[in-house]
Amino acid sequence: MTRVVVALDSFKGSIGAAAAVDAVAHGWREVDPDAVVRSRPMADGGEGTLDAFAAAVPGATRMPVTVRGPHGRDVAASWLLLPDRKGAGASEGTGATGVVELASTSGIELLGAERCPWDADTFGFGQAIAAALDHGVDRLVLGIGSSASTDGGVGLLVALGAAFVDADGRAVAPGARGMAEVAAVDLTGLRPLPPGGAMVLTDVTNPLVGPRGAAAVFGPQKGVTGDEVPVVDAALARLAGAMGGDPAAPGAGAAGGTGFALARWGARLRPGADDVAALIGLDEALADADLVITGEGSFDGQSAAGKVPSLVASRARAAGVSVALVAGRVAPDADTSAFVAVVALAELAGSAEASFADPAPWLRAAGRYLASR
């Protein structure tokens, strides 16, 4: 009986990690129905992070919550409660972990074609974090990809008890519009971190301000025009001066400055792949596996630098398990020497456009191909 672990990252903009893993697993079982296929989707912090954890962690429970979305209207969302696991528990409280995703509470996908560059904020994300804290979780895992706003994280901190006022002492409006009016910050009412702290999942290392900062690099994606970028950048700089903290820290510019706000709260910003692997039990799944299949949307020369495929391949080698790669595309400069097999969906589909538009059938085809080798 063959034992296979499928541990893919999301294929950004195309398909989430959980759905990608499910498609590859389905294809494998079409050829080898008796195989033991263990799904371990890897979360990267963006859209689909909750789905990835829910698929990988037995006993994970979705906790419904209604929050104020980036457009100012109510959004039905949820956070994920992970039960305590051996080796991942804490000494106090429930020992459980709360996973909260910005994408489903304050994310750009919630806006559709609409963009609200001056008014969208992260208040709903903060509300979901507060709900997890109210439940009594011992630690938080926070995914901050797919943000709709450039509010410096003001919204989420307000939801957690902080106060931001203008020169007249009035609470500032939501979003970048209000952030530009901040004259004073009071963090004394900010809720404390849970006993086990908070880990922030982001693969963004940009600082808060400057030519590589949140406004310059990510603002245009959210509707900030070229003339407005310097205005928003200056507002972020003033906010950092009022709040304290390190605006130059790697990741401070993630999610429109949400990384900066979370670091100021005391959360740890890190790529997170190692921590995610521990939470989903990757090493345990690999212990008796015959093959692990990993991958991501685009495997290129940078993929060896801490991204999911390299992490999974390293863990597999340590366990003496062979590794196969499935990617949307494989760049000519990519080093694929660690893999016993490589499948590029673009080649299966005939073009990168075809595989990107409808990846699931080609992921199933990749599973069938690997099972038939």
Side-chain angles (χ1 to χ4, degrees):
M1 181 183 297
T2 306
R3 294 174 292 275
V4 182
V5 176
V6 187
L8 304 176
D9 198 353
S10 63
F11 286 44
K12 292 188 186 300
S14 182
I15 189 169
V21 165
D22 185 64
V24 171
H26 182 81
W28 185 287
R29 290 191 181 102
E30 288 181 25
V31 175
D32 184 7
D34 295 326
V36 175
V37 183
R38 299 180 180 122
S39 296
R40 293 295 185 273
M42 294 289 288
D44 65 0
E47 185 180 10
T49 295
L50 253 61
D51 291 341
F53 276 105
V57 180
T61 304
R62 291 184 183 273
M63 309 294 287
V65 61
T66 299
V67 303
R68 190 183 80 197
H71 37 46
R73 301 184 295 274
D74 282 352
V75 169
S78 62
W79 60 276
L80 195 68
L81 179 65
L82 306 184
D84 192 16
R85 294 180 60 253
K86 183 178 180 181
S91 58
E92 304 178 45
T94 64
T97 297
V99 183
V100 189
E101 179 187 86
L102 186 150
S104 61
T105 53
S106 302
I108 196 166
E109 296 297 327
L110 296 172
L111 298 178
E114 180 185 10
R115 291 294 180 269
C116 304
W118 288 98
D119 300 305
D121 74 344
T122 52
F123 187 79
F125 182 46
Q127 287 179 299
I129 293 171
L133 293 173
D134 288 342
H135 188 82
V137 298
D138 255 359
R139 71 199 68 77
L140 289 166
V141 175
L142 307 174
I144 62 171
S146 307
S147 168
S149 65
T150 310
D151 76 337
V154 168
L156 81 91
L157 293 181
V158 168
L160 292 174
F164 296 80
V165 299
D166 62 17
D168 296 322
R170 295 174 300 192
V172 300
R177 188 183 310 280
M179 179 188 66
E181 301 299 324
V182 170
V185 179
D186 182 0
L187 302 180
T188 57
L190 195 60
R191 298 185 62 160
L193 290 166
M199 178 182 69
V200 182
L201 302 181
T202 176
D203 59 2
V204 169
T205 59
N206 301 66
L208 181 66
V209 296
R212 294 186 58 252
V217 176
F218 306 112
Q221 301 169 6
K222 302 164 187 179
V224 179
T225 66
D227 291 343
E228 293 169 336
V229 165
V231 178
V232 177
D233 189 65
L236 287 167
R238 289 197 301 274
L239 177 69
M243 283 179 59
D246 182 7
T258 299
F260 175 78
L262 289 171
R264 184 66 180 84
W265 187 36
R268 296 175 294 123
L269 273 64
R270 48 191 296 150
D274 279 315
D275 302 271
V276 172
L279 283 166
I280 68 173
L282 179 63
D283 287 341
E284 294 91 331
L286 292 173
D288 63 348
D290 300 302
L291 177 71
V292 59
I293 303 170
T294 189
E296 60 184 353
S298 179
F299 190 81
D300 54 30
Q302 298 181 358
S303 294
K307 292 195 174 182
V308 163
S310 65
L311 180 280
V312 174
S314 175
R315 296 290 184 91
R317 284 195 300 272
V321 180
S322 297
V323 191
L325 175 74
V326 175
R329 61 177 289 273
V330 178
D333 66 338
D335 180 4
T336 60
S337 59
F339 306 104
V340 297
V342 176
V343 183
L345 303 189
E347 294 182 8
L348 292 178
S351 71
E353 292 76 17
S355 65
F356 185 89
D358 190 16
W362 306 110
L363 286 162
R364 290 195 295 271
R368 290 194 296 271
Y369 168 77
L370 292 171
S372 301
R373 290 182 74 254

